[in-house]
Amino acid sequence: MLYFVDYENTDEAGLNGIEKLTDADTVFFFHNDKNKLSINAHKKVENAKCIKKYIPKVSVKTQNAIDFQLVTYLGYKIKETDNKQQYRIVSKDTGFDAAVKFWAGYGKNIARIESIGAQSSEALCAAVKKLISEKNIDFTVNPDEITKMILKYKTKQGLNNALMKNYKSEQVGQIMSAIKTLIKDKKGA
């Protein structure tokens, strides 16, 4: 997978999950003078097994210069790589969603995520649907609604409480059991 990190936008939080990447993954870092890696972040990046590419800092002082550079480089890499490649823009900036929609229209496996370890909402929703189906849960479950809750709540307890507002207690237990692999990194028991 190829990751394009808008470090100006995400800062160190965008690096969460980099330690799980392999040598089959490549991370491109886009940054400027204001956004330098801290020593801890630098250690985290250097210890990661992925291929790391630091794109020369943006010298143009215009607004969104890094964003334009990232999207241009993304297009270059899409042209250069095969059709089975997966692309992730790592940024909280929803402006990138236009580029994601554009390339998805050409059949590219692309998404915007807020950190390297985060799943795109589309991938997460597909995983929720699959797990709910595999568990043969026989009541009406809204996978889109559950996906939003998974993305919104940082703890298992927070997610459980949100589910309790929409489902019966025994249903929440079934849902939590079905999606446990998707929420294993959330805090709590």
Side-chain angles (χ1 to χ4, degrees), residues 32-80:
N32 62 23
D33 283 335
K34 296 177 192 171
N35 307 97
K36 296 180 181 171
L37 289 172
S38 70
I39 291 173
N40 286 338
H42 183 71
K43 285 180 185 176
K44 188 177 193 177
V45 169
E46 289 310 308
N47 287 332
K49 295 178 181 166
C50 60
I51 298 166
K52 296 152 276 271
K53 304 272 184 176
Y54 297 91
I55 305 305
K57 68 182 179 189
V58 176
S59 58
V60 179
K61 304 291 186 208
T62 60
Q63 187 175 1
N64 297 323
I66 286 179
D67 299 354
F68 293 124
Q69 188 181 45
L70 188 152
V71 169
T72 300
Y73 199 74
L74 168 69
Y76 167 75
K77 294 308 283 183
I78 286 174
K79 178 70 175 156
E80 186 180 80

Side-chain angles (χ1 to χ4, degrees), residues 6-174:
D6 177 8
Y7 194 74
E8 176 187 44
N9 178 272
T10 65
D11 209 30
E12 291 181 30
L15 302 177
N16 291 339
I18 196 168
E19 66 280 355
K20 296 179 182 176
L21 300 183
T22 69
D23 59 1
D25 300 305
T26 302
V27 179
F28 301 95
F29 294 92
F30 294 82
H31 62 96
N32 62 23
D33 283 335
K34 296 177 192 171
N35 307 97
K36 296 180 181 171
L37 289 172
S38 70
I39 291 173
N40 286 338
H42 183 71
K43 285 180 185 176
K44 188 177 193 177
V45 169
E46 289 310 308
N47 287 332
K49 295 178 181 166
C50 60
I51 298 166
K52 296 152 276 271
K53 304 272 184 176
Y54 297 91
I55 305 305
K57 68 182 179 189
V58 176
S59 58
V60 179
K61 304 291 186 208
T62 60
Q63 187 175 1
N64 297 323
I66 286 179
D67 299 354
F68 293 124
Q69 188 181 45
L70 188 152
V71 169
T72 300
Y73 199 74
L74 168 69
Y76 167 75
K77 294 308 283 183
I78 286 174
K79 178 70 175 156
E80 186 180 80
T81 56
D82 67 57
N83 283 331
K84 293 182 173 104
Q85 186 60 261
Q86 296 178 48
Y87 309 91
R88 298 296 179 261
I89 298 172
V90 182
S91 181
K92 296 177 198 167
D93 186 345
T94 57
F96 285 112
D97 293 348
V100 168
K101 187 175 181 180
F102 173 82
W103 284 112
Y106 283 93
K108 302 302 177 190
N109 184 337
I110 184 169
R112 181 185 58 83
I113 54 179
E114 293 189 8
S115 72
I116 289 172
Q119 286 186 298
S120 69
S121 59
E122 295 86 7
L124 183 59
C125 189
V128 168
K129 285 178 186 174
K130 181 178 183 239
L131 291 170
I132 295 292
S133 172
E134 287 173 358
K135 293 289 184 177
N136 294 318
I137 294 177
D138 62 352
F139 53 89
T140 303
V141 174
N142 184 336
D144 294 321
E145 186 177 274
I146 292 171
T147 300
K148 288 177 187 172
M149 290 180 199
I150 292 171
L151 292 170
K152 181 177 181 179
Y153 295 96
K154 297 188 186 314
T155 66
K156 291 174 186 162
Q157 186 62 48
L159 175 60
N160 188 75
N161 292 345
L163 288 168
M164 290 295 285
K165 292 177 182 176
N166 295 296
Y167 301 97
K168 294 178 182 169
S169 180
E170 64 273 5
Q171 294 171 329
V172 171
Q174 290 177 327

